[in-house]
Amino acid sequence: MRFLRGLVTLAITVCVALLLVAIAGYGSSRSVADQRDRKAPAKVFQPFGWQQTVENSPPGPATVLVSGDGWGMRGVTYRAKVAVVGGTGVYRTQRYRTDVEAGEDVLLSPDGTLIADGFPRPVPRASGSTAPASTGNSDPAIWFTDLESGKTSRMTVPATGTARPVAFSPNGRKILVQVASPPEHGPWNGGELDLMDLATGEVARLADLGTAPVHRAQLAAFSPDGRRVAVQIGDSIHVIDVQARSSRLLARVGPDRRIAGVGAWSSDGNRIAVATMSGCSKRCTSDDLDDRTWQIDELDAETGAPSTGSFDRLTGSAVRVLGQTDDGELVVVRYRASGDAGIDGTGEFTVDGDEADETDYRAVHEAELLGLSPSGKRRTLLTLPPGSRHVDVAGQLIVEDRFGGDSSRPMPWPAPFWVNLGAIVVLLIVAWGVFRIRRLTR
């Protein structure tokens, strides 16, 4: 009996010690570094399944967003969760009732202070309570979540259809928005491309995207000064003057070439990166998709003429450029296809027989974040947790090449009420057990 009593005492001591370590670790991770010196971590870990939300415990400016199929990024009540890695190393989650893709329909602002998405959520009233997002207005809208306060705001678009964010301007003050009627399955048809001013709420229409399906991962990109937007309309790339609202044809690129992503412009604003795909285009399995080759070259932003030099080729089902460093290195997401993805005999990309976009949640098995230098060198910029399918990085960190920072593991606290309640119940049961054993031994 004395042995049993000692064993229970040891168990209590271990539990309390682990709790104190978790709390202490959480506290220390918040003081890792000044936000001005923050870097994207060298490695992102899987968040806890109960990781506290952005709304209930704001993490401050974030460095990275990750979404995927890991146990910490899926849920029961909420279908998907985006892991939000704060600049001080803390982990939080943004939760959704549908599959989402970080960096494509859930965007991180360049300074890491805002998350933009097109998914309805409760919006705070003046009294501090919340009301359903659909109350009072059925216009398409974009929701913005402040990572410093946890509060959500809603901005509408005077159009018909559904809105989704495309890209933040480099200073974070404006955002490109696509408005279209999404199909039940498959890529969105063009619709329109709008420019939203976050300070005034003003919305201006920049381009008619037509009626053909678009590749949302390679749809449009801001120039570094925010004055121009490159947009792909069908097989052509256009450059739009944001102030004058004027558009000019830059180049016709064909069906297998496209703007390389939201970070396609060079840091000096003189060139635009385009990705050219070669490989299987009909009756392709997922293995065939992963064997496709992507060559990233650049076009002169004024003439559309090919620029000299190119970057190392990549294989994969798709690629997407998030940005370029001041030294000219491309920050690229490489995607691997899920086992259910393929291309049918008509050339349509499908998942389980349904039309899909190449970077849809169900079409991707995993993603990598790579750096490609003009000299041909390649490096892994960020190690993602197992099951990661999509990633986004704060634009300012990309431009200044701030990668390889400290990698903090997520801490279990702060946690939702039910987790705290469960921990208290367990401790009470253990304490009651100790009390009973001590009484019996007497």
Side-chain angles (χ1 to χ4, degrees):
M1 190 63 72
R2 182 176 298 176
F3 170 77
L4 182 59
R5 184 171 57 190
L7 187 63
V8 172
T9 302
L10 176 62
I12 294 175
T13 303
V14 170
C15 288
V16 173
L18 289 174
L19 180 60
L20 292 175
V21 167
I23 294 174
Y26 165 71
S28 62
S29 67
R30 289 196 62 87
S31 58
V32 168
D34 188 281
Q35 288 292 343
R36 292 170 295 182
D37 300 325
R38 74 191 193 282
K39 293 183 177 182
K43 184 175 184 178
V44 173
F45 297 89
Q46 195 72 238
F48 285 92
W50 62 80
Q51 202 78 56
Q52 189 59 280
T53 63
V54 164
E55 291 84 356
N56 291 331
S57 182
T63 60
V64 178
L65 302 181
V66 180
S67 61
D69 201 33
W71 76 276
M73 292 182 281
R74 305 298 287 173
V76 178
T77 304
Y78 291 88
R79 186 168 180 174
K81 291 175 278 188
V82 171
V84 181
V85 185
T88 52
V90 298
Y91 284 65
R92 297 292 182 267
T93 57
Q94 186 83 328
R95 302 184 180 186
Y96 299 92
R97 297 187 185 277
T98 186
D99 295 328
V100 296
E101 295 85 24
E104 295 184 27
D105 50 21
V106 180
L107 307 186
L108 183 61
S109 65
D111 63 0
T113 61
L114 285 178
I115 289 177
D117 59 57
F119 301 99
R121 65 184 67 251
V123 176
R125 289 173 171 162
S127 63
S129 60
T130 58
S134 59
T135 299
N137 201 325
S138 59
D139 289 339
I142 300 295
W143 280 261
F144 299 92
T145 303
D146 189 315
L147 298 180
E148 296 181 299
S149 67
K151 294 182 179 178
T152 296
S153 59
R154 176 178 184 266
M155 298 180 68
T156 60
V157 181
T160 301
T162 300
R164 67 179 179 188
V166 175
F168 274 102
S169 64
N171 61 13
R173 297 173 185 172
K174 293 180 172 63
I175 191 170
L176 293 174
V177 178
Q178 179 191 7
V179 180
S181 299
E184 182 179 355
H185 297 288
W188 284 31
N189 293 330
E192 64 183 68
L193 185 69
D194 297 325
L195 181 69
M196 178 181 289
D197 189 305
L198 274 63
T200 65
E202 178 186 358
V203 178
R205 186 172 179 176
L206 291 186
D208 182 348
L209 300 176
T211 58
V214 299
H215 297 285
R216 62 178 176 179
Q218 299 98 0
L219 175 58
F222 273 104
S223 63
D225 59 9
R227 297 178 180 178
R228 293 169 292 170
V229 170
V231 58
Q232 182 133 4
I233 304 176
D235 294 342
S236 301
I237 295 177
H238 298 253
V239 173
I240 301 171
D241 185 302
V242 171
Q243 187 66 34
R245 307 286 192 265
S246 59
S247 174
R248 61 183 174 86
L249 174 66
L250 180 68
R252 298 189 186 280
V253 293
D256 293 329
R257 301 185 77 195
R258 62 191 75 162
I259 292 174
V262 292
W265 289 77
S266 61
S267 57
D268 58 10
N270 293 331
R271 301 177 306 282
I272 299 172
V274 294
T276 303
M277 188 277 292
S278 58
C280 187
S281 59
K282 287 185 179 180
R283 294 185 175 88
C284 309
T285 66
S286 60
D287 290 337
D288 295 329
L289 294 175
D290 285 341
D291 286 337
R292 296 200 295 185
T293 300
W294 298 88
Q295 176 66 62
I296 301 178
D297 303 299
E298 293 180 309
L299 302 178
D300 187 287
E302 290 298 324
T303 67
S307 180
T308 58
S310 62
F311 296 87
D312 191 18
R313 292 184 178 185
L314 290 175
T315 57
S317 60
V319 297
R320 183 184 193 226
V321 174
L322 294 186
Q324 298 193 32
T325 69
D326 285 333
D327 294 330
E329 183 179 38
L330 292 182
V331 176
V332 183
V333 183
R334 172 168 61 181
Y335 302 91
R336 300 291 189 184
S338 69
D340 298 324
I343 298 180
D344 62 21
T346 65
E348 293 289 346
F349 192 101
T350 63
V351 178
D352 279 336
D354 296 323
E355 287 187 43
D357 195 287
E358 294 169 341
T359 57
D360 278 350
Y361 174 85
R362 295 195 305 142
V364 176
H365 171 65
E366 65 177 6
E368 301 171 86
L369 190 67
L370 305 173
L372 301 183
S373 66
S375 63
K377 293 183 179 179
R378 182 191 306 183
R379 62 171 175 150
T380 298
L381 299 175
L382 179 64
T383 301
L384 299 172
S388 298
R389 301 187 183 188
H390 297 85
V391 59
D392 198 15
V393 181
Q396 291 179 1
L397 304 186
I398 293 176
V399 171
E400 298 172 15
D401 193 12
R402 283 192 270 165
F403 291 94
D406 293 334
S407 303
S408 299
R409 289 183 176 274
M411 295 298 168
W413 276 275
F417 171 77
W418 63 270
V419 174
N420 294 327
L421 180 62
I424 292 172
V425 169
V426 169
L427 289 176
L428 288 176
I429 291 174
V430 172
W432 178 82
V434 172
F435 173 75
R436 292 291 299 170
I437 290 173
R438 290 182 67 89
R439 288 198 60 181
L440 291 174
T441 56
R442 288 175 182 174

